[in-house]
Amino acid sequence: MSERAHLRLEDVHAGYGEAEVLYGIDLTVPRGQIAAVVGANGAGKSTLLSAIAGLVRPNAGRIILDGKEIGGARANSLPARGLALVPEGGRLFPFMTVRENLELGAYIPMARARTVERLEEITEIFPILRDRHNQLAGRLSGGERQMCAIARALMSRPALLMLDEPSVGLSPIMTERVLETVARLVRDDGLTVVIVEQRVTEVLTIADEAHILDHGRIVRSGPAAVMQNDPQIQETYMGL
Ligand SMILES: Nc1ncnc2c1ncn2[C@@H]1O[C@H](COP(=O)(O)OP(=O)(O)OP(=O)(O)O)[C@@H](O)[C@H]1O
Ligand SMILES: [Mg+2]
């Protein structure tokens, strides 16, 4: 497989206890690209991200990041390997300030040494957070909260960013802004992104490849531009 494969899953099976949720996932994401994963509720999208993040241990198969197998690695060892997950809803600490939330994102020693510098950079990328550093995260608007959650994930300077439905609770305009920020991070910093989204039309405008997850299996993959124009996908996932 090409050395441009940043993330590769080979026949990954995973689930919760006896219940298997993912049935043999094969997925390759080249460096510097955005992979969109779409599918119905309960298809296993969040479980897929959890497996990559080490929050769910695969029962079988391999997960390879940058040529190193990470399947079954503990979640707390992953930031040091350059991986960050923004879970659904962002999961900020509501009673801590924006700044404290961001500082928590830099908890690996390498990143911590440069926290102040990174805070400056992050504020450049997310100007919406500029005047909010001392505000409680629980008082942010939905869009600000999602931006803050992404910003927190970026504090550790990950090479691979995973986003679980960043548009939940956001207006169409705010969704567009969040997705555009993600696209810019990829363009400017060469970040690799795996993004799970229900807003299929919107996410396909920034994705390179799209993968359809159905009952724990990837049933179709292809260039986002091709998927966007596919009548079956339009009907099933884009409400057209
Ligand atoms: N912690 C858990 N323990 C047991 N079962 C779980 C757990 N989390 C998810 N599941 C089950 O795994 C299946 C896939 O769930 P998952 O959250 O991965 O789907 P999803 O595609 O992210 O759905 P949604 O679009 O609703 O977020 C579902 O049947 C769900 O009930
Ligand atoms: Mg989910």
Side-chain angles (χ1 to χ4, degrees), residues 40-47 49 88 164-165 196 198:
N41 293 122
K45 304 180 297 295
S46 297
T47 304
L49 296 187
E88 208 173 321
D164 196 349
E165 303 203 28
V196 164
Q198 300 263 1

Side-chain angles (χ1 to χ4, degrees), residues 8 36 45 73 88 125 128 134-135 153 159 170 187 198 201 203 215 218 234:
R8 193 157 94 238
K45 304 180 297 295
E88 208 173 321
I125 303 169
I128 206 169
N134 295 317
Q135 184 170 325
L170 302 193
R187 274 200 309 273
Q198 300 263 1
T201 308
V203 78
H215 294 93
I218 290 182
Q234 288 177 341

Side-chain angles (χ1 to χ4, degrees), residues 10 25 54 59 76 79 88 122 131 134 147 155 208 233-234:
E10 293 173 357
I25 301 290
N59 302 321
N76 64 11
E88 208 173 321
I122 289 290
D131 301 318
N134 295 317
M147 292 290 199
M155 284 295 290
D208 295 288
I233 288 165
Q234 288 177 341

Side-chain angles (χ1 to χ4, degrees), residues 143-210:
E144 291 164 349
R145 205 173 306 151
Q146 194 55 247
M147 292 290 199
C148 186
I150 299 172
R152 180 176 66 179
L154 291 174
M155 284 295 290
S156 62
R157 299 173 186 273
L160 176 76
L161 178 68
M162 297 190 288
L163 302 161
D164 196 349
E165 303 203 28
S167 77
V168 166
L170 302 193
S171 67
I173 286 172
M174 206 57 223
T175 299
E176 211 171 287
R177 216 183 284 176
V178 169
L179 293 178
E180 175 46 41
T181 302
V182 172
R184 185 148 48 87
L185 288 165
V186 173
R187 274 200 309 273
D188 297 350
D189 298 356
L191 207 63
T192 304
V193 172
V194 180
I195 180 168
V196 164
E197 252 307 329
Q198 300 263 1
R199 296 250 174 98
V200 178
T201 308
E202 289 84 344
V203 78
L204 288 185
T205 65
I206 64 155
D208 295 288
E209 295 259 321

Side-chain angles (χ1 to χ4, degrees), residues 7 49 52-54 63 65 70 75 77-85 107 153 156-162:
L7 174 71
L49 296 187
I52 300 168
I63 301 175
L65 179 66
I70 59 165
S77 73
L78 292 177
R81 296 176 197 224
L83 187 149
L85 168 67
Y107 65 89
S156 62
R157 299 173 186 273
L160 176 76
L161 178 68
M162 297 190 288

